[in-house]
Amino acid sequence: MMKPSRLLFGTAGTPKSSKKRNSISGIERVKELGLDCMELEFVRGVKMGEATAGKIFEKAEEEQIALSVHAPYYINLNSLESEKVDASVERIYRSSRIGNLCGARNIVFHPAYYHKDRPEKVYDKVATLLKELSSRLTDEGIEVILRPETTGKGTQFGSLEENVRLGVDIDNVLPCIDFAHLHARSNGAENSYDEFYTTMELIENELGREGLHDMHMHVSGIEYGKKGERNHLNLDDSDLQYAELMQVLKDFKVKGLLICESPDNEGDALLMKKTYEGL
Ligand SMILES: [Zn+2]
């Protein structure tokens, strides 16, 4: 799949108003709404077969909708049990293989928990596993970008710096920047023009203009406390300064996919797209 030539807006999963809950119907609805992309939610397991993936590929091509994949939630590359680490790698692998057949380029996942380990030790473990997986995917001709997501809780591996560093260190790995999670993880910071600007600057410094031209983002409203993320909210019910975020994305000429994870996924995706286009 090609890198997008502009900033695309879309929904996490099928839009709320989709006639049916399946992905084909979701792609049609994304198109009707005037949105540009959709994230396939494999969050409870990769249950999709190859035949369905082929149909989704054709539909997405026909409607010119870009697809990405969210891998299962149950992934922990730093599990204390080695079988669980192996199963986690396999879930990302299967998400990549089936996602690739769907035509998805970006494969998003929550990488790991720290448990009681030092962050540096967890980084080394996650990086080693992702390097192996990236080579395996390349050997098998599966062309995807693995996207460790910035996580919403301090107990989860996946700070902005950690995920950007994975992108610097490993081929075919780039971060998924979840702005709601960064806001929740910092207990209310990361929510102004200047803070969003600093985030983009870090990405540009570490990954170059190329990094800004190949972004994958999650945005939604969010409720949070001292321990970080509680649950997702609609933008208007939250304190997320999305208009300032849109301004920063415009100022940095960011290209890529912006996936809306609000409960009203399509309403907020459209709200952000209109705000962005109005700047
Ligand atoms: Zn996620």
Side-chain angles (χ1 to χ4, degrees):
M1 289 301 105
M2 304 257 291
K3 273 187 254 177
S5 56
R6 60 192 172 90
L7 184 57
L8 307 179
F9 291 83
T11 54
T14 57
K16 283 202 79 103
S17 62
S18 181
K19 281 193 209 82
K20 294 180 191 158
R21 302 313 305 158
N22 67 56
S23 300
I24 299 271
S25 185
I27 292 166
E28 285 169 354
R29 187 62 188 144
V30 163
K31 181 74 174 190
E32 282 169 5
L33 287 163
L35 292 167
D36 319 296
C37 56
M38 188 175 95
E39 190 148 285
L40 301 165
E41 302 272 58
F42 295 169
V43 293
R44 284 183 184 79
V46 187
K47 293 165 189 159
M48 186 184 288
E50 293 184 11
T52 304
K55 286 179 194 149
I56 290 172
F57 178 91
E58 282 170 25
K59 184 51 125 183
E61 281 281 294
E62 181 190 322
E63 305 284 8
Q64 286 294 294
I65 298 300
L67 297 177
S68 55
V69 161
H70 198 305
Y73 290 136
Y74 195 64
I75 283 173
N76 181 5
L77 297 174
N78 190 42
S79 174
L80 304 172
E81 296 165 58
S82 67
E83 315 85 73
K84 288 188 180 163
V85 172
D86 294 346
S88 295
V89 171
E90 211 50 30
R91 288 188 181 102
I92 306 172
Y93 169 78
R94 278 187 51 75
S95 299
S96 302
R97 199 175 68 78
I98 297 295
N100 182 245
L101 294 174
C102 294
R105 183 167 169 276
N106 295 332
I107 311 297
V108 178
F109 57 97
H110 306 174
Y113 285 83
Y114 294 113
H115 303 293
K116 285 176 179 152
D117 294 334
R118 281 181 300 111
E120 193 62 27
K121 187 180 163 207
V122 183
Y123 181 88
D124 290 342
K125 184 159 184 189
V126 169
T128 301
L129 291 166
L130 290 183
K131 258 178 215 163
E132 286 168 10
L133 178 57
S134 174
S135 316
R136 178 180 169 195
L137 290 167
T138 303
D139 289 346
E140 294 184 21
I142 299 172
E143 291 180 30
V144 293
I145 305 292
L146 299 174
R147 298 271 185 175
E149 177 179 332
T150 56
T151 45
K153 292 181 182 165
T155 52
Q156 293 169 300
F157 173 90
S159 67
L160 174 67
E161 292 75 9
E162 285 164 340
N163 287 352
V164 167
R165 191 175 153 203
L166 288 170
V168 172
D169 288 351
I170 311 170
D171 287 344
N172 299 320
V173 172
L174 285 171
C176 164
I177 309 292
D178 187 317
F179 285 97
H181 282 167
L182 292 179
H183 178 46
R185 194 182 165 100
S186 62
N187 195 15
E190 306 306 327
N191 197 29
S192 62
Y193 183 91
D194 288 349
E195 288 162 314
F196 297 137
Y197 191 98
T198 303
T199 296
M200 291 302 156
E201 248 181 354
L202 183 133
I203 293 167
E204 185 170 26
N205 288 340
E206 299 297 321
L207 295 165
R209 288 297 306 167
E210 270 300 294
L212 293 178
H213 286 167
D214 191 6
M215 294 269 290
H216 191 86
M217 296 168 277
H218 285 170
V219 185
S220 70
I222 197 156
E223 193 186 330
Y224 54 89
K226 282 203 192 79
K227 290 180 178 169
E229 168 181 25
R230 284 202 187 120
N231 53 282
H232 288 187
L233 299 171
N234 290 331
L235 290 170
D236 282 341
D237 299 331
S238 80
D239 65 358
L240 196 85
Q241 301 297 312
Y242 67 89
E244 300 199 17
L245 175 58
M246 294 305 114
Q247 186 67 57
V248 170
L249 298 181
K250 191 134 224 173
D251 292 347
F252 275 84
K253 300 186 175 67
V254 165
K255 296 177 190 172
L257 277 64
L258 189 155
I259 297 293
C260 178
E261 289 191 324
S262 296
D264 180 8
N265 58 1
E266 61 185 69
D268 277 355
L270 285 167
L271 176 62
M272 286 188 275
K273 184 171 179 173
K274 284 194 186 111
T275 303
Y276 177 83
E277 287 175 347
L279 295 171

